Every structure is written in C-alpha cells, then in structure tokens.
Amino acid sequence: MTANQEQIFIQKIRKGDAHAFTYIIDAYKNMVFGLAVQVTKNREEAEEVTQDTFIKAYQNLASFNGDSKFSTWLYKIAYRTALDSIKKNKKHKQTYELTEVSLHQLKEVEQQLDAIDIKKRSKMIDACLQQLPEDEKSIIWMFYYDELSLKEILEVTNLTASTVKVKLHRARKKLLEIVKNSLEPALIEHYGRK
Amino acid sequence: MGENKHIEELDSFTKKLVKQIEPLEVSTAFTVKVMQQIQAKQQAMLLKNEPLISKKMWFIIAVVTGFVLFIPYFFESKKIIDLSQFKFSLLETLKLDDLNFTIGISTITFYAIVFFGLMLSIQIVYLKNYFTKNMY
C-alpha cells in the first residue's frame, strides 16, 4: 500500500467508513503480528495483542496527525500493547551471559548454518532469537526484519538513541553466541540423518 | 579498525540471519474478527441510552410542581403572598400601608394545573418509550 492510498483510506475511516479499515488491517497485520510474537514469545498471545493493537488504532485514529509514518505509529501502539501484555502475564525474563565471539568464529558459524536445511535453519534461528530478552529481540526484529530506521525505532520504543544502539549491539553479539551454541545439536541431527 | 570490521561483519551476519526466518502470519479470519470487535464496540456506543429528561431535571420539575400545587394549602385563604406582612419604605412613601391584597387561585385553575402536570408526566413517559422502540 502506498502512502497516498493509506491517506485516502485513513480519510475515509475518519469520515465514518469503517469498512475502509479492513484494507489497513490487511496491509499491516503480519507486520504487527511479527513484532508481537517477538515480544510475547507466544503465538496466541501475540494474536490477541495484534487484535488489540488494531482496535486501539481504530479508536485513536483521530490522534494520528501525520508527523510520522502510519506504520511507525501503528508499531508504537503494537509495542506498548505487547509490553503491557507480558507485564500482565509476568513472563519470566531469560538472561544470557555474553561472551566474546571472534570474527573467525563468526565465519565458522555462517558456514555451518549454510549446511543446514533451509526450513530447519529458519526454525532454529527463530528459536535462537526467542532466547533474547524481549526488548533486545524486538529491536533486532524491527531493525533487521522490518528494516525500520533508528529514528523510527526510537519513536516506537521511546528509548534514547544511545540505549537503542547499545541494546542492538549487545543483542547481535548474544544472538551470535546463542546460534553458535545451538549449532552443534542441529549439525549432529543433520549429519546423523545423512 | 579491526573492531569496526568486526561490527560490520556482525551487522551483516545478523541481517542475513534474521531475514532467513519464515514470515509470520496471523490466522486466516483475523481481519473479520477484528472488524467484528470494532463493530460490536460501535454498537455498544450507539445503544448507550441517554434519558430524555435527566434525573436532575425530574427533581426540579417535581419541586416546581409541588410548589405550584401545594403552597396554597399552607395559607388559609389561599393566599400566596400577603404584602401587608412586609414593611417596605417605598410602600410607606407611596402610602401602600393599607395595601392588603392577596394572590389567590381559583379552584378551576388549581385543578387545571394539577391535570396539566399529570398529563405532561404521562405524555413524556409515553413519548420516550415510543421513540426508543422506533429507533432500532
């Protein structure tokens, strides 16, 4: 959906055409869901969060004044809703000890990953990502998967630029460490089957 | 320099890694579910009934009606105001000391006010119910 089309639909919704909101939902539902899954770590909860996000967006559409992209505004609602949801459910935060991974080890990890079947690799990477703390995981997701700019991430998370950069850097290193540790069992399973 | 290269490599590795995750999708009837919830909330707002006459207004109407209907009974000869009880210097000046008139209402007027009040009360309730039924 282009920005112009989006504006047209938003104007229609503001004038009372509720049906126009279905186009907005269809355009952004998976994007919002993706972020919600990263924060909540649970598909069912993520879907509820996604539903709540769109309902809140509909009810507060009048407050969207076009200062930022609509997607960024929606993301902000999704992120806050997801955080509220995990606070309610009091999810246990996993902590991961950081160890340095060298450039050489990074290359090894890449090569080993390429040896694994695509589907299994995807599931494995997703499982590794889920082991990160919610805030770092969601920043990684927004930055690399949804390709939000740093400025947009700052708007969504309400964190300072230095905090986001530090979290991003730590999250990258942790993820690499987690993937490295997850590779051995995955490779054993892969070569074991051959 | 080495540190920067490491950060760049880590950055491109992470990007390549995360992009390999299969796209996440919501359930098939998601849009329908959300629109149903939105419509339900809109309906709930429409059906929120505002009374035609608020409780406060009813109270004021009752007080005024009571005042109009029952005040005559507190005065023996249906006097509402007895000016001779009050000492107004202006009246003295104008030699209105001897003024001794009362405001009274006749029996017909009294009953007319009572029936008017009754009919008004019945009609308001009837009209309110009529419009509520015919709204939806």
Side-chain angles (χ1 to χ4, degrees):
Chain A
M1 189 186 282
T2 63
N4 277 339
Q5 284 174 321
E6 201 174 80
Q7 275 309 308
I8 292 168
F9 285 127
I10 291 171
Q11 290 305 321
K12 281 186 177 182
I13 297 162
R14 282 179 172 158
K15 285 177 185 169
D17 182 4
H19 179 73
F21 196 60
T22 58
Y23 296 99
I24 302 283
I25 299 172
D26 286 338
Y28 293 110
K29 61 187 178 186
N30 293 327
M31 184 196 87
V32 171
F33 182 64
L35 179 63
V37 166
Q38 302 315 315
V39 178
T40 62
K41 293 186 189 177
N42 178 289
R43 221 193 136 84
E44 284 75 31
E45 196 180 342
E47 192 148 320
E48 267 184 47
V49 163
T50 312
Q51 279 185 28
D52 288 345
T53 299
F54 281 107
I55 291 168
K56 282 181 192 173
Y58 182 83
Q59 290 174 331
N60 296 295
L61 203 59
S63 69
F64 172 65
N65 51 20
D67 282 351
S68 62
K69 278 160 58 177
F70 181 77
S71 57
T72 310
W73 181 77
L74 195 60
Y75 246 124
K76 201 172 174 178
I77 299 173
Y79 187 70
R80 304 269 164 92
T81 308
L83 287 181
D84 289 342
S85 178
I86 60 170
K87 270 185 210 161
K88 252 195 277 182
N89 297 328
K90 289 182 186 159
K91 287 275 157 89
H92 172 63
K93 248 186 168 179
Q94 283 180 328
T95 53
Y96 207 92
E97 284 297 316
L98 201 63
T99 58
E100 281 298 322
V101 177
S102 67
L103 201 58
H104 173 70
Q105 285 175 312
L106 196 154
K107 297 277 182 206
E108 267 184 21
V109 165
E110 261 187 292
Q111 283 168 2
Q112 287 168 355
L113 270 173
D114 289 338
I116 300 170
D117 173 59
I118 291 176
K119 276 202 166 177
K120 281 206 166 80
R121 198 191 312 159
S122 168
K123 282 190 178 164
M124 195 203 92
I125 295 167
D126 190 28
C128 292
L129 190 62
Q130 297 309 317
Q131 292 182 51
L132 290 174
E134 289 83 15
D135 53 348
E136 291 177 4
K137 194 177 14 158
S138 48
I139 288 171
I140 287 270
W141 186 262
M142 286 190 275
F143 191 74
Y144 289 110
Y145 196 88
D146 286 328
E147 294 179 350
L148 262 66
S149 66
L150 197 64
K151 189 184 168 201
E152 286 170 324
I153 294 173
L154 295 181
E155 205 182 314
V156 170
T157 59
N158 224 23
L159 296 168
T160 60
S162 53
T163 307
V164 169
K165 284 177 185 169
V166 163
K167 283 186 186 284
L168 191 57
H169 187 60
R170 285 172 62 90
R172 280 193 291 238
K173 287 164 100 174
K174 272 186 208 172
L175 186 59
L176 177 57
E177 179 71 20
I178 296 166
V179 167
K180 188 169 86 70
N181 294 338
S182 305
L183 267 172
E184 203 182 291
L187 283 169
I188 289 168
E189 197 200 325
H190 176 76
Y191 288 114
R193 283 193 178 182
K194 280 190 176 176
Chain B
M1 189 69 180
E3 177 70 19
N4 284 341
K5 190 171 163 56
H6 186 60
I7 290 170
E8 275 171 27
E9 290 284 346
L10 193 53
D11 180 56
S12 69
F13 167 79
T14 312
K15 185 172 185 175
K16 188 181 163 191
L17 195 75
V18 173
K19 284 290 191 186
Q20 290 178 79
I21 298 173
E22 274 179 9
L24 294 159
E25 288 183 4
V26 290
S27 58
T28 44
F30 178 82
T31 307
V32 170
K33 270 191 249 175
V34 172
M35 289 310 295
Q36 280 174 349
Q37 286 190 49
I38 287 172
Q39 278 159 8
K41 282 187 190 287
Q42 280 186 311
Q43 280 290 334
M45 278 175 65
L46 280 174
L47 289 171
K48 195 177 165 188
N49 227 346
E50 290 270 338
L52 193 63
I53 299 174
S54 65
K55 284 182 184 168
K56 193 178 170 186
M57 191 48 76
W58 275 118
F59 178 73
I60 294 167
I61 291 170
V63 164
V64 168
T65 311
F67 182 81
V68 167
L69 292 178
F70 297 111
I71 284 298
Y73 290 98
F74 292 113
F75 297 93
E76 272 182 29
S77 54
K78 289 193 186 152
K79 278 188 249 181
I80 303 282
I81 300 164
D82 189 358
L83 279 176
S84 64
Q85 287 181 351
F86 301 100
K87 298 276 180 201
F88 294 110
S89 61
L90 181 65
L91 288 172
E92 278 176 20
T93 313
L94 297 174
K95 292 184 184 168
L96 293 173
D97 270 350
D98 302 319
L99 206 65
N100 188 20
F101 73 88
T102 60
I103 297 168
I105 50 172
S106 66
T107 315
I108 294 170
T109 312
F110 172 72
Y111 282 120
I113 291 169
V114 168
F115 281 118
F116 176 74
L118 267 171
M119 293 313 293
L120 196 68
S121 309
I122 294 167
Q123 279 175 27
I124 287 168
V125 172
Y126 174 76
L127 283 168
K128 187 185 162 212
N129 286 332
Y130 174 80
F131 282 115
T132 309
K133 272 182 204 164
N134 287 312
M135 206 185 291
Y136 306 108

